């Protein structure tokens, strides 16, 4: 296999997060300049769009032998039953069925290379750590010592300005739409976990802080730095923000700048500096996929106050409330499209203040430009209502300890 150029990249989080390494610079440049739709075939466990590499739009999961076969074929447009993989030394065509291992051959390799003693031996000292772990400097004291120069772990802003008693919840007015999204937007579209593109807001941030491109690592590895994660929110290369025509990636329109195209992060910063609340409009199954906390954290830190969707994935809906973001649902049969909303409108949401009296309203009135409609409130339990009143679950828990 090594003679053919194949190597074992890794397992576990390596393939899941996309830590198999960047593409060669020349290949990455060609993909970007020609706007190529390229694919990956992997034997890992994740195939979210853009997950394996920020340059690779589509990913397909397959068994290890099939990964090798597609690599030899060099294209996804290959019929393994009819098309050969190449010729042998005698010039005869070789088909996948000719080299596919039998179950007996696979079992023989497993039996000869894996034993229970391997795991017993290797895991006997797993909690001791190696010399690098033991050599790490460990600060003393009862509280964590934040390093202001770290690009991996920074003190988050969740509790800045927090009072002992929560302020009353307020209605939303003068809100702008940050993104109009379609159906089945996953948490990986909202908060990608894979590698960081050099030309993305997160990549620019890391470069400005002296980090070489080869050390950017992934969003997943830098989840302890909110500055990176905010810039990565809605930055998936396959995200389709319907505020823009034919544009993919983390872009939107900044209506404070005449509707000019901008990165979602830069537009958010401008809106927050101007005190303008933000909203997301979405289709069905918003927030499906893995239950990624940063999909809600990043949304909140971008200044989004509410998400109106046709339906929500259960955990992401709850996570939004846990970050103080209001989940609203279009009434059955309604959507942004059916209501004639294109995201350019100025939004107001009234009736939220009913939460201050202890109850949870079933519906709220949403005004978008000259249109008005009602949306279901998806705060589904008394506990979720308490979290929202406190501005989020972390504030609720901290106040309960005071």
């Amino acid at each position: 296999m090594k003679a053919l150029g194949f190597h074992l990249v890794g397992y576990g989080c390596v393939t899941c997060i996309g830590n198999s390494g960047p593409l060669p610079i020349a290949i990455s440049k060609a993909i970007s300049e020609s706007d190529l739709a390229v694919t990956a075939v992997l034997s890992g466990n994740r195939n979210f769009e853009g997950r394996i590499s920020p340059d690779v739009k589509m990913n397909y999961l397959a068994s290890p032998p099939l990964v090798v076969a597609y690599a030899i074929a060099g294209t996804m447009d290959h019929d393994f039953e009819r098309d050969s993989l190449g010729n042998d030394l005698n010039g005869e065509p070789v088909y996948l069925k000719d080299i596919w291992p039998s179950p007996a051959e696979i079992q023989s390799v497993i039996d000869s290379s894996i034993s229970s003693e391997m795991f017993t031996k290797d895991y006997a000292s797993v909690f001791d750590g190696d010399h690098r772990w033991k050599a790490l400097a460990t600060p003393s004291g009862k509280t964590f010592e934040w390093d202001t120069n770290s690009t991996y772990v920074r003190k988050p802003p969740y509790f800045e300005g927090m009072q002992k008693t929560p302020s009353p919840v307020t209605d939303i007015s003068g809100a702008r739409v940050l993104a109009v999204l379609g159906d089945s937007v996953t948490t990986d579209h909202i908060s990608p976990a894979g590698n960081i593109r050099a030309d993305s807001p997160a990549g620019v941030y890391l470069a400005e802080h002296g980090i070489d491109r080869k050390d950017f690592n992934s969003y997943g590895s830098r989840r302890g730095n909110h500055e990176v994660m905010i810039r990565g929110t809605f930055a998936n290369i396959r995200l389709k923000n319907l505020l823009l025509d034919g544009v993919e990636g983390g872009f939107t329109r900044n209506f404070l700048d005449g509707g000019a195209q901008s990165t979602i992060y830069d537009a958010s910063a401008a809106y927050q500096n101007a005190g303008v609340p933000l909203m997301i409009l979405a289709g069905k199954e918003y927030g499906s996929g893995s239950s990624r906390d940063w999909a809600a954290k990043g949304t909140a830190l971008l200044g989004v106050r509410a998400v109106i969707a046709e339906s929500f994935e259960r955990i992401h809906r709850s996570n939004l409330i846990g970050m103080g973001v209001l989940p609203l649902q279009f009434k059955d049969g309604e959507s942004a499209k059916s209501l004639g909303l294109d995201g350019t409108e100025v939004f107001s949401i009234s009736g939220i203040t009913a939460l201050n009296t202890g109850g949870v309203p079933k519906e709220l009135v949403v005004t978008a430009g000259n249109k008005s409609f009602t949306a279901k409130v998806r705060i589904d339990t008394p506990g979720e209502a308490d979290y929202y009143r406190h501005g989020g679950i972390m504030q609720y828990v901290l106040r309960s300890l005071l």
Side-chain angles (χ1 to χ4, degrees), residues 109-125:
V109 172
I110 293 174
D111 293 342
S112 64
S113 58
I114 298 177
S115 67
S116 60
E117 288 75 18
M118 292 170 53
F119 295 92
T120 303
K121 176 178 177 294
D122 289 346
Y123 281 91
S125 58

Side-chain angles (χ1 to χ4, degrees), residues 171-173 279 306 308 326 328-329 331 347-353 361-368 371-377:
D171 289 338
I172 298 171
S173 61
M279 294 178 51
I308 310 179
L326 180 66
L328 299 178
Q329 189 165 314
K331 299 178 77 170
F347 279 72
S348 296
I349 303 174
S350 59
I352 305 173
T353 52
K362 293 184 180 298
E363 295 180 347
L364 298 178
V365 176
V366 181
T367 302
K371 301 180 179 70
S372 183
F373 61 97
T374 57
K376 301 177 186 176
V377 177

Side-chain angles (χ1 to χ4, degrees), residues 64-377:
L66 203 54
V67 170
V68 174
Y70 270 112
I72 293 174
T75 175
M76 295 300 297
D77 185 19
H78 189 89
D79 187 337
F80 288 111
E81 292 189 4
R82 288 191 274 181
D83 301 332
S84 69
L85 291 172
N87 298 328
D88 62 17
L89 295 176
N90 297 320
E92 297 296 324
V94 177
Y95 295 87
L96 181 61
K97 63 182 179 181
D98 299 327
I99 61 174
W100 191 268
S102 68
E105 289 175 314
I106 295 173
Q107 190 60 51
S108 175
V109 172
I110 293 174
D111 293 342
S112 64
S113 58
I114 298 177
S115 67
S116 60
E117 288 75 18
M118 292 170 53
F119 295 92
T120 303
K121 176 178 177 294
D122 289 346
Y123 281 91
S125 58
V126 68
F127 293 111
D128 295 338
D130 62 11
H131 66 281
R132 291 168 296 186
W133 174 260
K134 293 176 180 179
L136 287 174
T138 53
S140 59
K142 294 183 179 181
T143 58
F144 185 80
E145 294 185 12
W146 300 98
D147 181 358
T148 56
N149 295 318
S150 175
T151 55
Y152 275 100
V153 180
R154 294 180 68 88
K155 186 178 181 180
Y158 308 126
F159 304 117
E160 289 180 1
M162 192 188 90
Q163 303 297 316
K164 186 174 182 180
T165 302
S167 302
V169 298
T170 60
D171 289 338
I172 298 171
S173 61
R176 281 294 194 173
V177 174
L178 190 61
V180 179
L181 306 172
D183 296 339
S184 301
V185 170
T186 71
T187 52
D188 211 74
H189 287 116
I190 302 170
S191 182
N195 291 332
I196 300 169
R197 287 184 64 142
D199 59 354
S200 68
V204 172
Y205 167 85
L206 291 172
E208 289 175 345
H209 283 74
I211 307 300
D212 291 336
R213 173 69 186 90
K214 63 181 177 63
D215 296 321
F216 276 10
N217 215 321
S218 65
Y219 287 108
S221 69
R222 293 189 181 272
R223 68 186 68 180
N225 184 349
H226 63 279
E227 296 289 0
V228 172
M229 299 306 289
I230 297 171
R231 288 165 172 78
T233 304
F234 295 111
N236 189 296
I237 60 170
R238 293 285 278 172
L239 186 78
K240 298 179 180 66
N241 185 351
L242 301 180
L243 277 173
L244 299 166
D245 294 327
V247 176
E248 291 188 355
F251 299 97
T252 190
R253 295 176 65 187
N254 180 357
F255 295 107
L256 297 179
D257 188 24
Q261 181 173 316
S262 164
T263 66
I264 283 179
Y265 170 75
D266 288 339
S268 161
Y271 283 125
Q272 291 194 70
N273 287 336
V276 177
L278 296 171
M279 294 178 51
I280 301 291
L281 300 180
K284 301 179 180 67
E285 299 175 338
Y286 181 74
S288 56
S290 57
S291 55
R292 187 161 306 149
D293 60 338
W294 264 108
K297 289 178 179 176
T299 298
L301 293 176
L302 283 176
V304 174
R305 292 281 307 278
V307 176
I308 310 179
E310 291 180 57
S311 65
F312 289 91
E313 190 280 331
R314 176 179 57 86
I315 297 176
H316 183 63
R317 179 200 60 79
S318 181
N319 285 348
L320 286 173
I321 297 168
M323 288 305 301
V325 179
L326 180 66
L328 299 178
Q329 189 165 314
F330 290 109
K331 299 178 77 170
D332 293 346
E334 293 185 349
S335 65
K337 184 177 181 179
S338 72
L339 293 169
L341 307 176
D342 61 12
T344 62
E345 305 87 357
V346 176
F347 279 72
S348 296
I349 303 174
S350 59
I352 305 173
T353 52
L355 280 156
N356 294 323
T357 59
V360 178
K362 293 184 180 298
E363 295 180 347
L364 298 178
V365 176
V366 181
T367 302
N370 60 2
K371 301 180 179 70
S372 183
F373 61 97
T374 57
K376 301 177 186 176
V377 177

